[in-house]
Structures are given as structure tokens and as C-alpha cells.
Amino acid sequence: MKERTAFNDNWLYKPSFDAADPFGAAETEGYVQVELPHTNKILPYNCFDEAECQFISCYKKIFRVKREWEDKTLLLEFEGVMLACKVWCNGIPVGGHEGGFTPFQVDLTKAVKPGEENILIVKVDSTERKDIPPFGNVVDYLTYGGIYREAWLTAADPVHLSRLFLDCPEPLEEEKTLRCSCEITARQACKAMVKVTLYSPQGDRVGEKTEEVALQQGKGKYLVTLSDLKGIELWEPDTPALYTAEAEVAVSKERDICRERFGFRLACFTTEGFFLNGRKMKLIGLNRHQSWPYAGYAMPRRIQRKDARILKEELGCNMVRTSHYPQSRHFLDACDELGLLVMEEIPGWQHIGDEAWKERSLKELEDMIIRDYNRPSIVLWGVRINESQDDHNFYERTNALAHSMDSGRQTGGTRYIQRSELLEDVYTYNDFTHDGGKAVFRPQPDTTGLEYPVPLLVTESNGHMYPTKRFDQEQRLTEHTLRHLRVINESLGREDLAGGISWCAFDYHTHGCFGSGDKICYHGVMDMFRNPKYAAYAYSSQKDPKRQIVMEPVTAASRGEKDGGGMVPFYVMTNCDFVRVYKNGKQVADFYPQKEEFPHLAHPPVMIVHLMEADVLSVFSEEDRLQFQEYLGKRMKEGTLTGLTQEDIAYLAKMAQKYGLDMRGLVTTVIKSAGGWGDASNNLVLEGFLDGRPVCRREIGEGKYAAGIVVKADDAVLFADGDTYDATRITVEAIDNMGNRMPFIQECVEVTLKGPGRLIGPARFPLIGGSSSFWVRTVGETGSLRVLIEGMTGKAECTLEIMAGGSEKGE
């Protein structure tokens, strides 16, 4: 049976390459010890030269293999090396790869000396080579550099299983069939017994089949079919049932095993929308780049998986697009387990290269499909270079390749040009129509240029149309939030749309010709540290309150933050039935979701339009009180209560006369109900109600002051001795006396670690919009790790337990 071992520890690295190294020199001078995943350059958060990570570097590993492996095939697999590499073992060239996003293997069998010391050299070219996708022209993202994903060494028998390809032709039938295509490598032709066993999510055996097959020399595929499978659970977003297929090949006394996870489900894009297992489902999601501050792409399993949890559990998305390349298998594993649907696409950004470039793109498409074939989360292959022009012959080939390899999935091709040629199954389109006006998406005929309907999915919106930082002015943050609400509302309301995947989940590093001049595109609903902007709550507030109650006021709660002054109007992102507001201890009113403006949202935002205490209007009749509140709301939606028109004065005079009120006093009261100049501090309490009872409470207002910093770790336990190092995010937040983040505080904090851990990135950094995050990683030792944070406004700490056990035990 083959042995597969992690090959991630005890690498040596230097940021240059010596041509003499491939010949097996054991010198280590000039190298530092590193572990995989590894980035070739720790970068600042922003304002760096993007060329800093574009260079040729060298990785060296001195290792031994067991003497008993002498007759085995030794294969070294790299999951991702950016951008190209060549590999030598003991001075012998053993292979290489061009392309940074898909795995590859090199065969060490003839070069390795079992029982002796071996020297592996990897020359890594992280320059932006124009002959390799996505490069050839400018690209709106950075790809960083290094051996940034894990590596594995496999010792395989003369007959061994490489992988399984699993299909269920009719997943909605009561009795199901599983077709298992087993990829088997044999040094010579022979007879073999192949057994396939299917296990349920609970580990029970639900089907088994054994067949004798005639193996050919080399690599081949052999089909074993399990029929009449009963009681199979379908893979659904809320109940993502994952089955395990185990294949065993036996020749004489030797045997090998391969396992793959699989989900039974039927996904289909039609002219009527997207259907999963026969039920229509609206797709609402975000695009994701796999990058982080400091470490670039090089983050381990737990951190990759966390992004899937953020998208599904925190933001409430049901769809993600892997823009614009195949992403970490750990992220996709989590998508399979969480029920998060995926559109996965080939590397690229607008540019199509020459014929050799296209051949490499086709190879990356092939490798992507091979790697991720069995994933139930993937419902669409992206077979077109993102936002590229039409290329009939090239895209005929990408579609044909995808369909020949995988007849069970549809293809899409992301474009931003209207009336682009449709060769894919789904017209996937980046629609940037919305600029804050009434128009959100184009009508389908204007988009496709076709006289008949086709399956249509919006794959980007917003983004560069309205870049927003977490520390921007309140009115920009509000408009950013509303734009995301509008595209969600449009996606849900359009019957001819499968849904919308907006741009994007997280801010990301980019080249100087994009972004905000500091090498960051501030297009995310979260920043690069995965801390939310207000727009994140446009998504999370749409969740069922049974899952989580959300009530987030989109305001700094200070009259001097708004143009012209005043505290209102402001929005509350919430899934409550209504919000009750109190000002300085007195009840104001109940405010309800804006259903008229957002008719298709499950939970429209609540707009707080005035701060007039309820007892001021107690003399009004119920009818006039409601009418008066409608009047205040209408005026605030139009702009302000401080610039009253003659029509307003006439209305107020009429109400004053009707109830014997002082006209001037009523006008003053109306103006001050905006929280304008001249009043004492306005402190508000917001209560969220569900089913007639209060379920959440927030205190905000002008009586705030800095009250300290708080710290929170995503995980309390890490594991010291897994396949590679473990890591977690720790977030620091400056809070006021009301418990809210302070977005305008100018503060640096410093981190000190006491115990078995290491920082990823700097120990001293500023809080951005009132909060920031950092990552700590394990160093192969167990114990308690104290994390201490100190700033001008206070100190905080948390403790992580570093335990023995593989990282597979953790998140």
C-alpha cells in the first residue's frame, strides 16, 4: 500500500538562485529554515512596490527516505507554486511546472537514494511571466510568490490507485447508481481485483462492488458501477451530506486504497433560474480572492477554511466565485462541508495570449477539473478568461474540453462586454450598471443581444464602481451598503436571473494601476483582515433570525459626521420586525423595514428618520401622529429637516393651529428632531423586536469616549504537530463606553507573544477604522500561548492552547 507523508517541514530558503545548487551541493549558507506554505516575501499591509515579490528564489530540502522504499515509485506533489518552477533531486532534473494555481507531481524514483541523504532543489520563478496565465498584460490582483501551498511525498507500489472520478447519472431517482472511474497505474500489464465501497456520512457501508480487471501498462481508467443504492441523502446547502467512496486494487498480496468524498445532487441553470435537486434557488454571493495581509497567498488549512465559514455563516451567502483562478483545496473542502455553492474558474484577467499561452490555459482548465471533479459544491466551471474579449476558436476548445471531461456540470464564461458570443451553457456577466440611480442590472436582451432567453448569472456588480474603506465618511459607508442591498434585491426579484455574485468579499492587494494608490482595492464588504464594513451587514441581515439576530446601525451616531449636521437619517441593518428608538431615556418611535424600497428582500433595512420624543406628539390623534411621522420620514429621505420649504411651513402651521401649539416652537422641534446643532448630547438606545418582544439592544450616541481595547481570537485551540503549522486570526478593537467600535480612533497597538507561537507579520500596527487583526501560528511545540496587546487606551490579552494532534482535528 502506498504511503503518503507531508513534506512541509525543514525546508531551506533564500531569495536568490545559484546555478550551482541543482548539482546537489549541501551547503546551507545564505538560507533560512522555513515551512510550507511559504511566501517568498512578507509584505507591508499597503504602499509597497509590487515588484518586491517578483523574483527568482531557491528552496532546498535535505531528506532521507526508507530503504524499504527502494522498489517503490516516489512521487512528490506540490499543491501550488507561484508562478513557475524547476526541480532537481541530487543534481538530476526531475520536472517542473508552469502555472501557479494547480497541483503537479514530479517523479523522484530514479534520482532518490533510499537510506541516504538526498538534496532537493526547487527554483521558483515568481516574476510575472507574460507566457503564463494570468499574465501578458496588466492584472487587477497580485499573485505573490513562493511554494505557497503544501507538498506531499508518496511512495507507491508497482500497482497503485491515483484518484477516483465519481458520477451519479440520475441523482433524483429513488434507487441511485454510482459510477466510479478508478485511475490505476501499473508497471506492467496484469490482472487485478478492484473493489469499490461507498460509506454514508455516518460511516455506514451502503454499497459495494468487486470486479476483476485487466490492467494495462502505465496509467488507465477502469469503471466500477454500484447500482440500486437506496436511502441516499441528497447534498443540500442546509444538509450537505458527504459520502465517501473507497476503492481498493489488489494484485496478489499487494493492495492499494484511494478515498474520495462525494455528494449526490443535481444542479442545473435554466432560463427560469437555478435549480438544485429540482427546487428553484436564488444564488446570492460574493467573489473571493485567496489573499491576506503580509503572507499573501501562503496561509494554512484553518485560515483557508475560515473564509468559507465567513461567507456562509457570517454573511449568509449561498454562492462564491473563485475569482479568478482555482483556489485552495482547504477552502473548497469547507465549501463541500458547509453547503456553499461554487463557481470555479481558470486563471486570467482580460488578457488572452498567443497559442502557447492558450495551450497552458487549457492545461490549467484540465488540471482544475481533475482536482475538483468530485466536489458537490462546484456547480459551474468558469471556462473563459475573466472579462476577456470574444475568441471563438479558443472558447470553443475550453467548452469542449470541460464538457468532454465532465458531462455533469455546466460551463460559464465571465464577460463584461454586452452581446458577447455565447458558447457556454450559462451567460455569466459582470453587470456594473448600478451607479446609485434607479437602474441596477440591464434587461437580459440588452445584456446578451439574443432574441431568446438563456440561463443568466450576474458574476460581478458594485466593486470598483464604489470603492469604500472602513474609515470612510458615514454617508459613503451608507451608500456602499445600500448599493449592495439594491443588487441583492434586484437579484432576488428578477425571474430571468439565476442570482448575483457581487464584487467582492474582501479587499485585496493589486497593482499600482488599480486600487486606491496604496496597492489595495477597497472593493470588499470586508477589509483584508476579514473585518466587516457596514456593507457586510447588507448580507448578514438577510439571514433567518432563528440562525442569528442581526441589528447593526449604519452610523457614527454623531451630528458632526453628516454633511449639514444632524444624526438622522440613518439605516439599521436588521432582521428584526421593527426597531424601537429611545433618546436620552425617552421613547421616540417604532421604525419599520423599508419594504416599499426593497420589496424582494427578506429583511429590508430600517430607516431612522427622526428623533422627536413620542410625548411631543401625544396631543395628536393617532391618525395625525402617523401622518406626521410619515411627513418626517419623507422629508428626511429627500435630504434634511433643516431646510424647510414654504409647503413644509404651511403644513406645520396647520398642525399647530389644529392642536393649539406654538408655531415657532413646533418648527424648532421639527428641526431639532434631526439631532441638529444647539442641543445637548443625543444618546440613543435601539431595541430590536421579533414577534412582539425585544430580542436585542444597542446603545449609541454622542456621549461616547474611549473605554479600552478588546481582543478576540477566532480559535482557542491550535494543534502543534499536524501536516504543517496551524494558525488563527486575532482581532483587536478599540471600543467606547457603550461597547461600540470607535472608527476614528488613531491608535497603534503592539503585540507580545509569550509561549510557543509566532506572529505572521509585524508586532506593531495601527487600528484601521477602529480595529485590526493579525495572525499567529504554531512552531511545533505544545503549551499555552499568551497574546498580549498594548495601546494608548489600554491593554488586553487572550490565551491559546497549543495541543498535540494533527491539524485535521481543528478547523
Side-chain angles (χ1 to χ4, degrees):
M1 183 181 293
K2 66 174 173 286
E3 297 180 49
R4 187 171 186 260
T5 57
F7 210 61
N8 301 314
D9 295 338
N10 300 316
W11 283 84
L12 299 169
Y13 167 78
K14 68 177 179 180
S16 61
F17 182 76
D18 183 350
D21 263 346
F23 301 99
E27 287 82 1
T28 59
E29 185 178 352
Y31 288 85
V32 295
Q33 185 167 312
V34 300
E35 298 154 282
L36 308 183
H38 179 258
T39 186
N40 66 346
K41 175 78 173 180
I42 293 288
L43 294 170
Y45 170 60
N46 61 353
C47 299
F48 52 83
D49 180 355
E50 65 253 31
E52 287 185 43
C53 58
Q54 298 171 27
F55 56 87
I56 294 174
S57 59
C58 182
Y59 290 80
K60 177 185 290 191
K61 188 172 174 68
I62 302 172
F63 68 103
R64 292 177 180 268
V65 299
K66 301 175 185 177
R67 285 195 179 276
E68 53 266 35
W69 285 2
E70 193 164 6
D71 294 328
K72 289 182 179 286
T73 299
L74 299 182
L75 302 172
L76 177 59
E77 179 185 355
F78 293 93
E79 293 194 39
V81 178
M82 187 59 67
L83 171 71
C85 69
K86 293 182 179 179
V87 186
W88 293 263
C89 185
N90 297 325
I92 301 170
V94 291
H97 189 251
E98 294 179 340
F101 298 102
T102 50
F104 64 96
Q105 286 184 339
V106 295
D107 192 334
L108 305 182
T109 307
K110 295 180 180 180
V112 163
K113 302 170 185 177
E116 300 181 28
E117 190 174 82
N118 300 276
I119 300 176
L120 188 78
I121 298 288
V122 186
K123 176 186 178 182
V124 177
D125 185 352
S126 300
T127 61
E128 296 183 353
R129 287 175 44 176
K130 294 183 181 299
D131 59 330
I132 302 175
F135 299 109
N137 197 17
V138 295
V139 176
D140 180 22
Y141 53 93
L142 294 190
T143 57
Y144 311 97
I147 306 179
Y148 73 97
R149 290 178 184 165
E150 294 90 338
W152 304 85
L153 182 64
T154 299
D157 290 327
V159 175
H160 62 271
L161 279 153
S162 303
R163 64 183 73 246
L164 311 177
F165 298 90
L166 306 169
D167 292 287
C168 179
E170 296 177 338
L172 301 189
E173 294 294 325
E174 186 173 344
E175 293 187 357
K176 297 174 178 48
T177 298
L178 180 67
R179 295 163 54 88
C180 183
S181 180
C182 307
E183 187 177 273
I184 304 174
T185 300
R187 289 186 188 170
Q188 58 186 28
C190 60
K191 296 281 188 180
M193 300 301 295
V194 177
K195 180 173 74 171
V196 174
T197 307
L198 182 67
Y199 294 95
S200 73
Q202 295 76 32
D204 300 322
R205 186 171 59 187
V206 294
E208 186 176 283
K209 182 72 174 292
T210 302
E211 290 188 1
E212 184 179 51
V213 298
L215 300 180
Q216 64 187 36
Q217 186 178 10
K219 186 180 293 184
K221 289 184 179 180
Y222 306 89
L223 182 65
V224 177
T225 301
L226 277 64
S227 303
D228 304 324
L229 298 172
K230 299 177 182 178
I232 297 294
E233 303 172 57
L234 293 178
W235 186 91
E236 296 272 4
D238 292 333
T239 54
L242 288 172
Y243 287 73
T244 300
E246 178 183 276
E248 178 183 311
V249 58
V251 177
S252 186
K253 293 183 180 180
E254 294 183 352
R255 69 188 186 98
D256 193 29
I257 288 176
C258 184
R259 298 180 182 89
E260 284 280 343
R261 295 194 305 184
F262 180 74
F264 292 84
R265 60 106 181 99
L266 179 64
C268 187
F269 290 85
T270 75
T271 57
E272 297 177 355
F274 174 74
F275 290 80
L276 183 66
N277 298 330
R279 294 191 304 277
K280 189 172 182 179
M281 175 181 175
K282 276 289 185 179
L283 302 176
I284 301 296
L286 292 160
N287 288 263
R288 182 228 188 200
H289 272 302
Q290 62 171 19
S291 60
W292 288 265
Y294 316 125
Y297 282 168
M299 281 292 195
R301 177 181 185 268
R302 185 188 300 269
I303 307 304
Q304 299 282 353
R305 291 172 58 87
K306 178 65 176 179
D307 273 5
R309 287 203 172 277
I310 289 171
L311 285 160
K312 178 70 186 289
E313 297 178 349
E314 291 185 26
L315 296 177
C317 296
N318 59 26
M319 181 77 172
V320 61
R321 172 172 165 241
T322 65
S323 51
H324 306 286
Y325 40 79
Q327 298 187 0
S328 164
R329 68 177 174 89
H330 300 309
F331 174 74
L332 295 172
D333 283 346
C335 292
D336 287 338
E337 295 164 15
L338 294 169
L340 181 62
L341 300 172
V342 179
M343 174 185 177
E344 187 174 34
E345 64 183 358
I346 54 178
W349 199 83
Q350 294 190 349
H351 170 75
I352 302 174
D354 60 16
E355 287 306 312
W357 192 99
K358 292 176 183 177
E359 288 297 328
R360 288 192 177 94
S361 183
L362 286 162
K363 181 63 169 63
E364 289 184 318
L365 172 59
E366 179 182 7
D367 291 344
M368 178 179 77
I369 294 174
I370 288 172
R371 187 192 72 165
D372 296 325
Y373 187 91
N374 295 323
R375 296 189 179 279
S377 61
I378 296 176
V379 295
L380 198 62
W381 295 124
V383 300
R384 181 182 174 116
I385 303 300
N386 174 67
E387 294 189 343
S388 59
Q389 300 295 310
D390 289 341
D391 188 321
H392 180 85
N393 292 337
F394 178 40
Y395 291 136
E396 267 198 332
R397 294 177 68 192
T398 60
N399 277 277
L401 176 61
H403 287 134
S404 67
M405 294 184 66
D406 184 0
S407 60
R409 283 188 184 88
Q410 293 166 290
T411 60
T414 301
R415 70 267 287 157
Y416 73 106
I417 52 175
Q418 294 170 258
R419 300 171 177 83
S420 168
E421 181 183 23
L422 178 61
L423 297 172
E424 302 80 28
D425 302 310
V426 184
Y427 199 101
T428 45
Y429 178 63
N430 293 350
D431 193 328
F432 298 113
T433 301
H434 187 48
D435 60 2
K438 291 184 178 180
V440 179
F441 294 149
R442 288 185 171 89
Q444 183 169 144
D446 291 350
T447 297
T448 66
L450 301 172
E451 297 179 357
Y452 52 88
V454 296
L456 177 62
L457 174 67
V458 172
T459 40
E460 291 184 30
S461 55
N462 287 322
H464 71 284
M465 301 298 292
Y466 207 76
T468 305
K469 305 171 183 66
R470 291 180 67 242
F471 48 89
D472 273 337
Q473 187 199 25
E474 179 179 316
Q475 281 156 281
R476 187 170 190 89
L477 289 164
T478 299
E479 176 60 18
H480 185 227
T481 306
L482 293 175
R483 289 191 181 202
H484 277 274
L485 283 172
R486 292 178 196 125
V487 300
I488 298 171
N489 182 71
E490 181 83 354
S491 298
L492 293 171
R494 282 268 296 269
E495 291 298 321
D496 61 336
L497 277 182
I501 310 171
S502 202
W503 190 262
C504 60
F506 315 118
D507 294 345
Y508 58 95
H509 284 144
T510 190
H511 293 84
C513 45
F514 303 97
S516 293
D518 63 349
K519 308 303 166 67
I520 294 179
C521 274
Y522 294 95
H523 298 174
V525 301
M526 291 181 156
D527 66 13
M528 283 192 73
F529 298 97
R530 280 54 177 169
N531 292 320
K533 304 172 190 177
Y534 286 126
Y537 301 108
Y539 292 85
S540 61
S541 63
Q542 302 311 303
K543 291 187 289 189
D544 188 329
K546 292 178 182 177
R547 289 177 56 191
Q548 179 191 3
I549 295 171
V550 177
M551 189 176 73
E552 187 65 33
V554 183
T555 182
S558 297
R559 74 192 79 180
E561 170 63 5
K562 288 182 178 294
D563 293 347
M567 292 181 67
V568 293
F570 65 86
Y571 285 90
V572 180
M573 300 296 115
T574 185
N575 50 11
C576 293
D577 294 336
F578 65 90
V579 175
R580 180 168 293 167
V581 177
Y582 299 84
K583 184 181 80 171
N584 298 331
K586 294 184 178 181
Q587 184 171 331
V588 174
D590 296 338
F591 297 90
Y592 289 83
Q594 302 285 295
K595 195 67 179 176
E596 184 177 341
E597 187 176 351
F598 300 97
H600 307 296
L601 295 184
H603 304 287
V606 170
M607 188 179 189
I608 310 302
V609 296
H610 72 88
L611 298 177
M612 185 181 295
E613 291 94 337
D615 57 6
V616 172
L617 302 180
S618 60
V619 297
F620 284 19
S621 69
E622 178 69 16
E623 181 181 354
D624 283 346
R625 186 164 62 250
L626 292 174
Q627 185 187 75
F628 194 81
Q629 291 209 145
E630 287 179 11
Y631 153 74
L632 293 174
K634 181 175 182 294
R635 290 297 292 119
M636 287 311 302
K637 286 181 180 180
E638 291 173 354
T640 179
L641 285 175
T642 57
L644 300 179
T645 66
Q646 288 300 316
E647 182 181 350
D648 295 327
I649 297 297
Y651 172 72
L652 293 174
K654 176 182 175 183
M655 298 302 291
Q657 183 179 14
K658 182 175 181 179
Y659 291 101
L661 302 175
D662 176 64
M663 168 62 179
R664 184 172 297 179
L666 183 58
V667 170
T668 300
T669 300
V670 167
I671 293 173
K672 288 189 174 183
S673 75
W677 304 113
D679 266 353
S681 296
N682 293 306
N683 294 314
L684 309 180
V685 171
L686 312 180
E687 277 189 334
F689 280 72
L690 275 173
D691 300 323
R693 61 185 181 87
V695 292
C696 58
R697 185 179 187 273
R698 289 288 295 272
E699 184 179 355
I700 61 176
E702 295 171 316
K704 51 182 169 284
Y705 52 85
I709 56 175
V710 294
V711 59
K712 179 183 178 183
D714 285 348
D715 307 277
V717 177
L718 301 179
F719 295 97
D721 53 357
D723 297 328
T724 184
Y725 58 90
D726 201 359
T728 192
R729 177 184 64 159
I730 298 175
T731 298
V732 185
E733 190 171 62
I735 61 167
D736 63 27
N737 54 305
M738 300 177 186
N740 301 308
R741 176 176 55 87
M742 301 194 70
F744 305 130
I745 197 163
Q746 304 295 317
E747 168 117 37
C748 275
V749 296
E750 188 159 2
V751 179
T752 304
L753 301 185
K754 294 186 176 181
R758 187 188 308 162
L759 279 170
I760 299 175
R764 184 174 175 81
F765 50 85
L767 300 184
I768 302 170
S771 66
S772 194
S773 299
F774 59 96
W775 285 264
V776 296
R777 50 155 291 183
T778 59
V779 292
E781 303 172 13
T782 60
S784 293
L785 175 62
R786 286 183 67 202
V787 183
L788 298 94
I789 299 97
E790 183 171 0
M792 285 289 292
T793 58
K795 300 178 181 180
E797 69 173 83
C798 64
T799 300
L800 308 178
E801 294 301 322
I802 315 297
M803 301 177 63
S807 61
E808 294 298 314
K809 294 181 181 179
E811 183 48 45

